[in-house]
């Protein structure tokens, strides 16, 4: 009986569906092409996973509080452009340019949060407007051309953020450790801290949270700032790793990040979030993008698979939620 109830609790967890899907996905792709689990392919997949993953971790907390941020993709492209523009013009060192880029991102997050909490405008509309402002600024500053970036080699900033080394046959980037550290820290905050309780209360029932003394507006503003800073950091990491700073970089990332979070089991309506689920969601979509190319499916079909996964996982989460409420 105890084993049966334990199995029921396990299946009812929002992370169970994504975990099963990831295992099936890896098995299918490996079955079609054994190179899928080669050290080189795993190394490449992990390198790309980290950059979108950092944004998705912060988005998990923000969506748990009941808000969205559609400006993250534009910040992903804008922050490296700002950093390299400051550096290439001789105004700052690369490291100072990096700090400035993060501070500007934090300010953008603060503006998003202020509009949402003080003017009571839906976050969808606020961050959609900010997406256009930030992307437009990046394109205007650069005339639409990528920035010169080849001076980063050997700088301590590049070494700390994207330095690489080999662990046996696997090529590991330092950015992977930043991602793991962020996942552990934010997972602890969401599930084990008082702030995590505030975040879930702000998303689940804001009025009740305020009545209990939770500073709902302050929590949401802080999460908008976190979301923007993480998007900025991810953009800089990608720029240093690929030696490119394109003002169009990150286009469409906002929807892919939200898909990762939702597939992982975080409630769209707020009040419930899971960092473990998000990590699984990140891996599901990055493995999918990598796998369909390896088995010969045109990369342009990627969105079809994403859409199907989102619909399938939403149906599964809805079914599990109804069973949980029914007490079966």
């Amino acid at each position: 009986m105890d084993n049966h109830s334990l199995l029921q609790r396990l299946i009812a967890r929002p992370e169970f569906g994504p975990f099963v899907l990831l295992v099936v996905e890896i098995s299918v792709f490996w079955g079609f092409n054994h190179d899928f689990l080669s050290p080189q392919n795993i190394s490449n997949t992990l390198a790309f996973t980290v950059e979108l993953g950092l944004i998705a971790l912060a988005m998990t907390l923000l969506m748990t509080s009941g808000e969205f941020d559609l400006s993250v993709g534009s910040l992903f492209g804008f922050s490296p452009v700002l950093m390299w523009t400051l550096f290439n013009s001789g105004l700052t060192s690369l490291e100072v340019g990096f700090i400035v880029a993060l501070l500007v991102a934090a300010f953008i997050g603060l503006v998003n949060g202020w509009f949402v909490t003080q003017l009571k405008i839906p976050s969808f509309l606020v961050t959609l407007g900010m997406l256009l402002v930030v992307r437009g600024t990046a394109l205007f500053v650069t005339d639409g051309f990528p920035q010169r970036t080849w001076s980063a080699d050997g700088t301590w900033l590049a070494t700390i953020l994207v330095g690489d080394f080999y662990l046996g046959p696997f090529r590991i980037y330092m950015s992977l450790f930043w991602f793991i550290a962020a996942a552990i820290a934010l997972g602890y905050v969401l599930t084990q801290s008082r702030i995590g309780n505030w975040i879930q209360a702000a998303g689940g029932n804001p009025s009740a949270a305020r009545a209990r003394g939770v500073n709902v507006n302050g929590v949401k503003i802080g999460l908008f700032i976190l979301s923007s800073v993480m998007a900025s950091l991810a953009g800089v990491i990608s720029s240093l790793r690929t030696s490119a700073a394109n003002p169009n970089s990150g286009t469409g990332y906002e929807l892919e990040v939200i898909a990762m979070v939702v597939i992982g089991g975080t409630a769209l309506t707020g009040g419930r979030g899971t960092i473990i689920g998000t990590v699984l969601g990140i891996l599901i979509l990055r493995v999918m993008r990598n796998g369909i190319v390896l088995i010969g499916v045109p990369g342009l079909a990627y969105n079809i698979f994403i859409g199907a996964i989102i619909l399938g996982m939403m149906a599964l989460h809805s079914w599990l939620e109804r069973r949980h409420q029914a007490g079966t």
Side-chain angles (χ1 to χ4, degrees):
M1 182 65 183
D2 285 346
N3 288 340
H4 183 63
S5 61
L6 180 65
L7 182 63
Q8 278 188 324
R9 287 203 302 273
L10 186 65
I11 293 173
R13 289 188 64 84
E15 299 92 349
F16 180 77
F19 176 73
V20 171
L21 177 59
L22 180 62
V23 171
V24 169
E25 200 178 64
I26 291 171
S27 303
V28 168
F29 287 135
W30 182 78
F32 274 102
N33 187 337
H34 282 15
D35 286 339
F36 178 72
L37 290 180
S38 68
Q40 182 182 0
N41 193 53
I42 291 173
S43 300
N44 289 339
T45 303
L46 286 176
F48 288 114
T49 297
V50 163
E51 289 147 17
L52 272 180
L54 285 168
I55 310 175
L57 293 175
M59 187 73 80
T60 302
L61 270 61
L62 184 62
M63 287 176 62
T64 302
S65 77
E67 305 295 348
F68 288 93
D69 188 353
L70 297 181
S71 67
V72 290
S74 59
L75 267 167
F76 184 94
F78 171 74
S79 291
V81 163
L82 174 59
M83 180 181 77
W84 285 107
T85 299
L86 291 171
F87 177 68
N88 290 333
S89 63
L91 289 173
T92 69
S93 66
L94 190 63
E95 291 77 15
V96 172
F98 170 64
I99 299 298
V100 170
L102 291 185
L103 290 173
V104 170
F107 177 72
I108 289 169
L110 176 64
V111 171
N112 283 337
W114 186 83
F115 268 85
V116 170
T117 59
Q118 303 304 313
L119 301 185
K120 309 300 180 189
I121 304 172
S123 55
F124 179 87
L125 296 176
V126 170
T127 57
L128 178 62
M130 189 60 79
L131 181 159
L132 297 172
V133 169
V134 172
R135 181 73 69 194
T137 304
L139 291 168
F140 177 74
V141 166
T142 61
D143 292 325
F145 292 103
Q147 293 295 284
R148 182 165 59 85
T149 62
W150 54 81
S151 323
D153 287 346
T155 63
W156 64 265
L157 180 66
T159 303
I160 287 174
L161 292 180
V162 294
D164 63 319
F165 60 93
Y166 280 88
L167 193 63
F170 297 97
R171 186 182 187 185
I172 306 294
Y173 287 93
M174 285 299 296
S175 53
L176 179 63
F177 295 102
W178 289 107
F179 172 74
I180 292 170
I184 292 171
L186 295 182
Y188 177 82
V189 166
L190 187 58
T191 60
Q192 304 295 324
S193 75
R194 185 181 299 176
I195 296 173
N197 292 335
W198 296 344
I199 292 169
Q200 293 178 64
N205 191 333
S207 300
R210 286 190 181 94
R212 292 174 57 192
V214 175
N215 182 358
V216 172
N217 289 352
V219 167
K220 290 187 176 184
I221 288 173
L223 293 176
F224 273 110
I225 292 172
L226 175 67
S227 176
S228 294
V229 169
M230 290 289 264
S232 175
L233 175 62
V236 169
I237 286 174
S238 177
S239 171
L240 291 172
R241 184 180 61 80
T242 60
S243 298
N246 190 325
N248 282 307
S249 182
T251 301
Y253 278 10
E254 54 281 338
L255 297 181
E256 192 166 344
V257 164
I258 290 172
M260 289 171 172
V261 177
V262 169
I263 287 169
T266 293
L268 265 175
T269 50
R272 188 190 73 220
T274 159
I275 289 290
I276 295 172
T278 294
V279 171
L280 293 170
I282 294 162
L283 291 172
I284 285 168
L285 292 198
R286 299 317 290 177
V287 165
M288 175 65 72
R289 183 183 283 276
N290 176 265
I292 62 173
V293 173
L294 269 186
I295 65 174
V297 177
L300 295 173
Y302 174 60
N303 286 343
I304 299 172
F305 290 94
I306 286 192
I309 288 173
I310 291 173
L311 291 172
M313 293 309 295
M314 287 300 91
L316 177 63
H317 289 316
S318 174
W319 177 71
L320 291 172
E321 188 70 27
R322 286 199 306 273
R323 283 196 51 164
H324 180 68
Q325 289 175 353
T328 59

